Amino acid sequence: MDGNRCPRCGWPLAELPATAARPATHRLDYVRCVCGSWLARLDGEVVGATRTP
């Protein structure tokens, strides 16, 4: 899996806006893909995704 693209539709994550929460040691980003999936990235790697509605 390419950590720089949505695992559901392949959209490049660099083209999505992000909100971020910064835990003590890692960066956690949540981004919404154009396909509707929410993606969770830890230190830039996709670690989770929701299904599209």
Side-chain angles (χ1 to χ4, degrees):
M1 173 170 48
D2 183 355
N4 295 316
R5 294 187 171 273
C6 174
R8 302 283 183 223
C9 71
W11 191 268
L13 300 183
E15 295 181 19
L16 300 173
T19 58
R22 186 172 279 270
T25 58
H26 298 286
R27 181 177 176 91
L28 180 62
D29 294 309
Y30 296 96
V31 294
R32 180 127 189 180
C33 185
V34 296
C35 71
S37 292
W38 279 102
L39 309 173
R41 294 186 300 178
L42 183 61
D43 294 333
E45 290 291 320
V46 175
V47 294
T50 62
R51 292 184 181 172
T52 55

